[in-house]
C-alpha cells in the first residue's frame, strides 16, 4: 500500500497543487476562472499520461533495449524500468534456450543413429544428417514433407503403415549388405521418433559367432562319434561275454588320437579366447628371442622324428614381449611348416634385426605351398585349404588365428609368401620398439 502511494505520490501532489491553485483563483478572480484552471490542469495531466501510453505502445511494437522509453514521471519511469527488467530477463532466457537447443541439435547430429522426428501424421519435423543420408531426405527443405515419400522399400513401407512397432524392422536399404535396424517410438500424442541404427557390423559379428559355434560343434562331434562308436563296440563285446578284450590295441590307439584331437582343439580355443579377451595375466617381459626360437625348433625337430630337416639360425636378440604368446605363435608356425611339408623336406627358422630396426622371425619350408587365393583367409578361424589333410595331421584350424591375435597384441605384422609345390615363408615382424638393446638393459 505504502509503495503504491509512493508511486502515485507525484501525480497526487500535482493534483493537490492544481486544486489549491484553482481554489485560489476562484477567490481572486471568480469561480469560472478557478474551474477553467482545474479543467486545463486535468487536461494537461491526461495529455501527459496519453503521451507516455503512446510511447509505451510504440516501444512494444519493437521492444529493443536500446530504444527503450524514458520518463520524468516516477510512476511511468517505474513502469518502464520494470518492463525493461523483464525484457532483459526474457532476452537472456531466449538466448540461453537458443544455445541449449543448438547444443541438443549438435548432439543429435553427432549421434551415429539416424533420428527423424515427425508429427502424428508422419510429416517430418526434423532429422539429423545420418537419417537424411539413410532415407535420402534433402535437409531442411524437406521438413514438413511426408516421411513415406522417402521410403521406397515396399516392405518397410508396409511395416510403417501396419503401425505395430513392438519390434524393430531389419532393413537392407541396398544390395551392399548394409543392415539398418529401424524402430519407431511414440514420444507423445503429437510426435513420433523414428530411429535407424546401422547394425551391419553387429550382424557380421553375430554371423561370425554363429559360424564359430557351428564349427566348434562340428569339430568336437567327429572325434566324439568315433570315441562313442568304439565304446559301444566295447560294451557290446562285454555284454556278449566276449572275454577277450574287444578293445583291441588299434581301437584304443584311435580313441586316444581322437581324445588328443579334442584336447588340442579345446586348448587352442582356450588360448584364442584368452587372447581375444586380453586376459593373459602375465605382463610383458624381456627375454632372448633367439634362445626361445632355438628351443621351440629343437622340440619340433624331436616331434618330427627325423622325417624332416629342421634348422634354426639366429643371432642373439633380446625382445620385450609376452613370452608365452610369442612361444605359442612360433610353435604354431613351425608345427604347420612340418605338417604341410612332405617327409624328407626342410624347415628353416631364423630371427634377425632388419635394416629398419624391426625384429623378424621367419619360418620357411619347402612343402606343399598355398595357392594365392587362400592366403588372405588363412588366419580366419577354422579356415583350411585342405580339410582332410589338416585333420589327418592333427590340425585344429585355429593355429594361424592364434598367430594373428598374438601379432595384433604386439603391434606386429604377419606376412605370408607361398608358391604351390615349392613351399611357404611365414614371417612375424615385431616393431623396432620391442627390440631390447644392451643399453636399454643397462638402463
Ligand atoms: P590347421 O590346424 O588346419 O593347420 P592353421 O590355422 O594353422 O590350421 O592353418 C590354416 C591353414 O593354412 C591350414 O589348414 C593349411 O591349409 C594352411 N597352412 C598353414 N601353414 C601352412 C604351410 N606352412 N604350408 C602350407 N599350408 C599351410
Amino acid at each position: 500500500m505504502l509503495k503504491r502511494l509512493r508511486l502515485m505520490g507525484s501525480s497526487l501532489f500535482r493534483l493537490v497543487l492544481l486544486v489549491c491553485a484553482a481554489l485560489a483563483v476562484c477567490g481572486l478572480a471568480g469561480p469560472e476562472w478557478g474551474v477553467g484552471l482545474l479543467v486545463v490542469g486535468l487536461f494537461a495531466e491526461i495529455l501527459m499520461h496519453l503521451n507516455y501510453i503512446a510511447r509505451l505502445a510504440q516501444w512494444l511494437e519493437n521492444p529493443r533495449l536500446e530504444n527503450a522509453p524514458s520518463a520524468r514521471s516516477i510512476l511511468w519511469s517505474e513502469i518502464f524500468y520494470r518492463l525493461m527488467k523483464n525484457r532483459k530477463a526474457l532476452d537472456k532466457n531466449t538466448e540461453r534456450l537458443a544455445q541449449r537447443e543448438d547444443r541438443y541439435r549438435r548432439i543429435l547430429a553427432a549421434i551415429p543413429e539416424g533420428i527423424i522426428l515427425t508429427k502424428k501424421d508422419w510429416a517430418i519435423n526434423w532429422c539429423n544428417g545420418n537419417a537424411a543420408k539413410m532415407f535420402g531426405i534433402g535437409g531442411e527443405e524437406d521438413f514438413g514433407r511426408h516421411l513415406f515419400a522417402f521410403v521406397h522399400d515396399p516392405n518397410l513401407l508396409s511395416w510403417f503403415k501396419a503401425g505395430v512397432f513392438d519390434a524393430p524392422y531389419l532393413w537392407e536399404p541396398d544390395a551392399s549388405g548394409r543392415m539398418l535396424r529401424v524402430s519407431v517410438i511414440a514420444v507423445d500424442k503429437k510426435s513420433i521418433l523414428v530411429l535407424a541404427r546401422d547394425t551391419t557390423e553387429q550382424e557380421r559379428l553375430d554371423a561370425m559367432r554363429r559360424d564359430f559355434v557351428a564349427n566348434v560343434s562340428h569339430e568336437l562331434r567327429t572325434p566324439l562319434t568315433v570315441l562313442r562308436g568304439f565304446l559301444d563296440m566295447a560294451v557290446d563285446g562285454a555284454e556278449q561275454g566276449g572275454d577277450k578284450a574287444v578293445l583291441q590295441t588299434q581301437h584304443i590307439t584311435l580313441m586316444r588320437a581322437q581324445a588328443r584331437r579334442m584336447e588340442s582343439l579345446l586348448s587352442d580355443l582356450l588360448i584364442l579366447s584368452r587372447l581375444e579377451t586380453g586376459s593373459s595375466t602375465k605382463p610383458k617381459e624381456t627375454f632372448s628371442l633367439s634362445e626361445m626360437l632355438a628351443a621351440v625348433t629343437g622340440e619340433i625337430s624331436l616331434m618330427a622324428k627325423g622325417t624332416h630337416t629342421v634348422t634354426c639360425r639366429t643371432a642373439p636378440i633380446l625382445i620385450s614381449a609376452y613370452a608365452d604368446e610369442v612361444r605359442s605363435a612360433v610353435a604354431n608356425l613351425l608345427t604347420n611348416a612340418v605338417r604341410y611339408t612332405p617327409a624328407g623336406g626342410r624347415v628353416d627358422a631364423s630371427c634377425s634385426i632388419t635394416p629398419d630396426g624391426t625384429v623378424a622371425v621367419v619360418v620357411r619350408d619347402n612343402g606343399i605351398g598355398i595357392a594365392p587365393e587362400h592366403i588372405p583367409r588363412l588366419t580366419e578361424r577354422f579356415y583350411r585349404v585342405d580339410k582332410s589333410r589338416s585333420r589327418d595331421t592333427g590340425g585344429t584350424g585355429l593355429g594361424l588365428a592364434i598367430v594373428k591375435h598374438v601379432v595384433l597384441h604386439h603391434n606386429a605384422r604377419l606376412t605370408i609368401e607361398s608358391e604351390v609345390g615349392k613351399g611357404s615363408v611365414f614371417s612375424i615382424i615385431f616393431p623396432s620398439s620391442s627390440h631390447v638393446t644392451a643399453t636399454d638393459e643397462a638402463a
Side-chain angles (χ1 to χ4, degrees), residues 16 37 50 85 107 121 129 132 159 203 251 268 275 289 313 337 345 372 385 395 419 443:
V16 171
L37 180 66
L50 278 177
K85 207 167 132 190
I107 291 171
D121 61 358
W159 180 75
E203 296 295 331
H251 290 171
D268 275 1
L275 283 167
L289 180 66
R313 193 168 40 81
V385 177
E419 207 177 318

Side-chain angles (χ1 to χ4, degrees), residues 268 332-333 336-341 365 367-370 378-380 382-387 390-391 393-402 418 423-424 426:
D268 275 1
N332 271 308
L333 290 186
N336 278 351
V338 172
R339 285 185 17 229
Y340 298 106
T341 300
D365 65 61
I368 58 171
I370 308 155
L378 291 183
T379 54
E380 285 175 23
F382 298 114
Y383 187 85
R384 291 145 161 145
V385 177
D386 177 349
K387 278 197 173 63
S390 159
R391 290 211 182 97
T393 52
T396 60
L398 295 172
L400 290 181
I402 291 175
S418 190
S424 313
F426 285 76

Side-chain angles (χ1 to χ4, degrees), residues 114-129:
I115 303 171
I116 307 173
L117 191 65
T118 73
K119 289 193 186 140
K120 211 178 131 208
D121 61 358
W122 299 102
I124 302 171
N125 250 345
W126 179 84
C127 76
N128 69 355

